[in-house]
Every structure is written in C-alpha cells, then in structure tokens.
Amino acid sequence: MRLNRLLAQEKISRKAMKQALLKKEILVDNCPANSLTQNVDTGLQKLVFQGRQIQGYKHSYLMLHKPGGVVTASQDKKLPTVMDLLPTKLQSDQLYAVGRLDRDTTGLLLLTDNGPLGFQLLHPQYHVNKSYQVVVNGLLTPEHIQQFKEGIVFLDGTTCKPAQLEILSSSLTESRASITISEGKFHQVKKMFLSVGVKVVSLKRVQFGDFTLDSELAEGQYRPLNPEELEIIKNYLEKSG
C-alpha cells in the first residue's frame, strides 16, 4: 500500500505527512521514508510516524502453479480462472495475479492484494526477468541463440529486447529450450519462436524476478510465500518510491 494512503487511513493530514517526511519523522524499518508514494506493508515492515507505530494493513502474497485451461483473471463468464483455484476464504476483490499467463501456459504466478507491488514488478524500468521452459515443433540451432541475443523482430516490425535462449535438446520434429526475457509483450514468447520458424507447443514459466516456481507445487496448487520469499518482497518494497 502507498505510504500516503496508509497514513490517510490513520486520519493523518497530507500537510502533516509532508512535514513529517521532511523532518525524517516517518520511519520504515528504522530508516527515514523515501517518499509518501513508497510502497509499505506493515505486516513485513515496522512503520513509525512521529514516534507512534502504525499497525496499518498486512498484505497477502501467494505462489500459484497455474495449470493449462485456466485464465489469468478475477472472473470469467465461460472459463475457470486462477481465482477459482483458491478456497473461498482467500478469494477477495483486492487479490489479483501479477502479470498474465496465456490460458494454455502453465507455471509460476504470484497473487497479491498489494497493487503497487504488481506495478513495480511489471514496469519496464525495473527490468524484471521472466524465465520459461518451452517445447517447439521443430529444430533449434546456435543461430537461433544469436538471434534471440540480438533481439527478435516480429513481422510487424516490433523489436524485442535481447533474450537468453538455452537449447536443452533439438531435433527436426521437437526441441526443448529455456528462455529468459525482460519484457511482457502480448504473446511475446510464442511470437518470438514463430519469428524463427517454429511453433510453441508447450510453455511453462518457472521464474519471475527473484521468485522460482516451487517444484513441490503441483499444477493447480498454491501456498503462501515462505519467509525467504517474503524477504524478497521486502527488498522490492525498499526499492519503491
């Protein structure tokens, strides 16, 4: 939650917030706040305003192993959504998926009710890498590795940022690879492989930023982030503002 919004819920005026910020009287984990727009979570951080600790609001953070056939949406009239995979007690209008995965794409999704965090993880200025395991219907060669490294160009002229392609196995009928990108263009990974003459038949996201898909999570399962992963969240919060 934005710091100014949280303090407003405590009936603190914007003028008082600005004065306290200038005087370094707003402390987040014992450090002066960066700005009134920085993202804070009093469930993970200690927030003090002019000597008074603010309890605020504790956000939710979940890791979900998205299965195929499920859409990344809060609700859909025809198809099951990732929210349908959660028990009713966890479902909330405020909870959403950080970034989308196509209906047929599986793998790592982060769910949270911390809106600013989602914006931070998805904004291009933060260069959050995303890694996928991919199966395509044709041959992949070292030339493709170089093409991805230089930046794939779509048929419409759109140029992708450099990506890292690692070929795990290759044959004329099927190749397996790992790809890491730092963007989130529409159907980007599928279009990148189409641009080099092969079609994606299976796609699974295994990493998002500093988060790695838990190998013990079966498709359709979820769990709260563990202490180590919550420390990663704290690091992202500290960079905000």
Side-chain angles (χ1 to χ4, degrees):
M1 183 180 293
R2 299 291 188 197
L3 177 58
N4 52 6
R5 182 182 172 191
L6 193 155
L7 293 177
Q9 292 182 352
E10 297 291 318
K11 309 302 182 182
I12 298 171
S13 70
R14 188 163 183 81
K15 180 179 180 180
M17 294 181 207
K18 290 181 177 179
Q19 291 176 342
L21 182 72
L22 290 173
K23 295 179 180 178
K24 302 186 184 302
E25 294 176 341
I26 307 177
L27 303 179
V28 181
D29 281 346
N30 299 316
C31 295
N34 301 322
S35 74
L36 292 176
T37 59
Q38 80 178 80
N39 191 9
V40 294
D41 181 346
T42 52
L44 300 176
Q45 299 165 300
K46 180 181 179 181
L47 174 62
V48 175
F49 180 86
Q50 294 181 331
R52 174 169 68 95
Q53 185 170 349
I54 306 296
Q55 297 302 323
Y57 181 82
K58 182 178 180 180
H59 287 287
S60 297
Y61 305 97
L62 305 174
M63 177 181 292
L64 172 72
H65 188 167
K66 179 190 172 298
V70 174
V71 295
T72 307
S74 297
Q75 56 185 347
D76 190 279
K77 294 181 179 180
K78 297 181 179 180
L79 299 169
T81 74
V82 293
M83 297 304 169
D84 294 330
L85 299 172
L86 304 178
T88 304
K89 65 180 181 179
L90 289 181
Q91 295 179 13
S92 163
D93 291 339
Q94 303 301 315
L95 197 67
Y96 73 101
V98 179
R100 299 179 63 85
L101 290 177
D102 297 342
R103 185 175 67 177
D104 57 348
T105 300
T106 65
L108 173 60
L109 266 182
L110 296 177
L111 305 176
T112 183
D113 57 357
N114 188 338
L117 176 70
F119 174 82
Q120 181 177 354
L121 289 172
L122 295 172
H123 198 283
Q125 78 180 69
Y126 293 101
H127 306 291
V128 175
N129 288 337
K130 296 166 279 288
S131 297
Y132 300 80
Q133 293 175 350
V134 59
V135 179
V136 299
N137 67 349
L139 186 69
L140 290 177
T141 71
E143 292 181 1
H144 293 133
I145 295 176
Q146 186 60 32
Q147 286 179 273
F148 277 71
K149 185 177 180 180
E150 293 174 355
I152 295 293
V153 180
F154 294 158
L155 295 177
D156 64 3
T158 300
T159 300
C160 298
K161 291 182 178 179
Q164 180 181 343
L165 176 66
E166 179 184 1
I167 300 173
L168 305 176
S169 66
S170 185
S171 73
L172 291 174
T173 57
E174 180 181 280
S175 297
R176 296 177 179 271
S178 172
I179 178 174
T180 299
I181 63 175
S182 61
E183 302 173 284
K185 292 182 171 65
F186 186 64
H187 294 320
Q188 180 172 344
V189 173
K190 294 177 180 178
K191 289 181 178 180
M192 291 173 82
F193 282 100
L194 279 177
S195 296
V196 298
V198 291
K199 182 179 179 180
V200 171
V201 296
S202 174
L203 188 62
K204 178 180 182 178
R205 183 160 69 190
V206 294
Q207 193 161 1
F208 186 98
D210 294 318
F211 299 96
T212 300
L213 179 64
D214 188 337
S215 60
E216 296 184 2
L217 271 184
E219 288 190 12
Q221 290 186 336
Y222 74 94
R223 65 162 173 78
L225 295 191
N226 60 37
E228 292 77 16
E229 292 159 344
L230 290 175
E231 283 298 313
I232 296 173
I233 294 290
K234 283 186 65 175
N235 289 335
Y236 281 114
L237 295 177
E238 290 169 0
K239 295 176 184 177
S240 68

